[in-house]
Amino acid sequence: MKKFTVLTPANLKEFTDATYPQGSFCLAALLRAKDIKVNGVRTGANLPLKAGDEVIYYTTPKQESLKSHDTVFEDENILVADKLDGVETSALLCELQAGGEFYAVHRLDRNTKGLLVFAKNKGAEEELLTAFKERRVEKTYLARCKNNFKNDGALLTAYLKKDAENSSVKVFDKEVKGSVKIITEYRVLEKQGDTALVEVALHTGKTHQIRAHMAHIGCPVLGDEKYGDSALNKKYGTKRQCLVSYKLSFKLSGGLEYLNKIEFISGFKP
């Protein structure tokens, strides 16, 4: 059993996804069995929630043992997690905070798996936030993409504009009003028929940048239901983007310089 208090309005699914990874994994089963109570009343519906509501999940020990991440590295300053797909960054943060002091310093899309860094004290949080802002964190991704590549590697420049109404972004070859410049570098590692394994490095870090930029050049990430190729996704039976935050390295200061010698590598492949 797990008990939570709602802080901001949301529906039950949104709250679960953002708060309790194990509950999110088995939410449909919990609702069918009415193994969730909202303010003391069992429910099988995706109810709207308001601040102050109490939500209790009657998860079993087996359900509660479902893994949300592996720990790649941990010391007194940071934790580097290898996040599973299907887990919101905010939910993993809630899970970690149940056992101590943790702060999120960046995020991954729910359905992107791989390396995610958390600070364990305010000093580390401040330095890591600054490092991410100043591009002193080198991030490398692996993606399984549609094999429509004209070149086996390229440094791509384009312009990205958020579409808030549809919770998505659009990519343009030329600057348009409200857009920001994006730079994405890729290298094809292996071609397998109609898909290819690609290494991607971000020179800018914008919302959905890899997914949208690769789709823009005609090589969408396999399994991406927002920007992807629906026929290819159906062929391979995948509904989550085959994208991994694969490597991380730092150029830190403020007492965290010792981390600069370490290259962190995910255990996942797309």
Side-chain angles (χ1 to χ4, degrees):
M1 183 188 81
K2 296 289 183 180
K3 182 189 298 185
F4 300 91
T5 300
V6 178
L7 300 179
T8 57
N11 63 43
L12 182 55
K13 183 182 185 307
E14 292 168 340
F15 176 76
T16 306
D17 288 345
T19 308
Y20 183 26
Q22 291 72 25
S24 181
F25 289 150
C26 54
L27 181 61
L30 292 170
L31 289 173
R32 283 195 302 269
K34 293 191 174 181
D35 279 337
I36 301 175
K37 278 185 179 180
V38 176
N39 297 328
V41 179
R42 289 185 179 270
T43 183
N46 184 26
L47 298 177
L49 305 174
K50 62 182 185 300
D53 284 348
E54 180 187 79
V55 182
I56 301 176
Y57 301 86
Y58 290 94
T59 39
T60 65
K62 182 178 180 179
Q63 289 169 330
E64 290 173 8
S65 69
L66 293 171
K67 185 169 64 174
S68 62
H69 71 287
D70 292 316
T71 298
V72 174
F73 176 88
E74 184 175 13
D75 67 3
E76 69 276 13
N77 291 311
I78 72 165
L79 182 146
V80 181
D82 213 2
K83 183 183 80 69
L84 275 70
D85 55 4
V87 177
E88 291 276 11
T89 299
S90 57
L92 179 50
L93 177 62
C94 286
E95 180 181 316
L96 294 172
Q97 287 177 331
E101 185 179 8
F102 288 91
Y103 304 90
V105 294
H106 70 128
R107 59 167 287 115
L108 291 177
D109 290 341
R110 179 182 178 183
N111 289 327
T112 297
K113 54 191 171 185
L115 300 177
L116 192 56
V117 182
F118 296 91
K120 295 183 65 176
N121 55 65
K122 293 299 290 184
E125 179 196 25
E126 182 178 344
E127 169 57 17
L128 284 166
L129 286 171
T130 302
F132 275 100
K133 183 178 181 180
E134 295 178 350
R135 312 298 300 169
R136 290 189 282 115
V137 181
E138 186 173 323
K139 297 180 284 184
T140 303
Y141 293 77
L142 289 181
R144 177 68 60 181
C145 296
K146 182 176 182 179
N147 185 15
N148 194 28
F149 290 95
K150 297 178 181 178
N151 302 295
D152 287 340
L155 182 66
L156 305 172
T157 299
Y159 296 86
L160 179 148
K161 183 177 181 179
K162 286 187 177 181
D163 181 355
E165 185 176 339
N166 294 304
S167 300
S168 65
V169 301
K170 294 180 179 178
V171 175
F172 302 88
D173 290 322
K174 296 182 179 180
E175 186 175 8
V176 300
K177 184 177 180 180
S179 67
V180 293
K181 187 177 181 178
I182 58 171
I183 303 174
T184 309
E185 187 173 5
Y186 78 85
R187 180 167 65 98
V188 176
L189 302 179
E190 180 181 275
K191 294 182 178 180
Q192 295 180 338
D194 53 7
T195 72
L197 180 64
V198 184
E199 182 182 85
V200 184
L202 289 177
H203 294 260
T204 55
K206 302 301 179 183
T207 302
H208 297 178
Q209 179 176 325
I210 292 175
R211 296 162 59 195
H213 208 164
M214 299 312 289
H216 182 67
I217 66 167
C219 306
V221 176
L222 179 65
D224 190 341
E225 294 194 311
K226 188 180 289 284
Y227 305 104
D229 184 317
S230 57
L232 193 67
N233 294 345
K234 184 177 180 180
K235 175 181 175 180
Y236 286 95
T238 180
K239 295 183 178 181
R240 288 178 175 168
Q241 60 255 20
C242 296
L243 179 63
V244 177
S245 172
Y246 187 64
K247 286 194 292 188
L248 280 176
S249 59
F250 300 111
K251 294 179 181 178
L252 302 175
S253 57
L256 300 183
E257 294 90 346
Y258 67 95
L259 295 168
N260 297 342
K261 301 177 182 179
I262 308 172
E263 183 178 64
F264 301 99
I265 299 178
S266 170
F268 296 121
K269 293 288 181 65

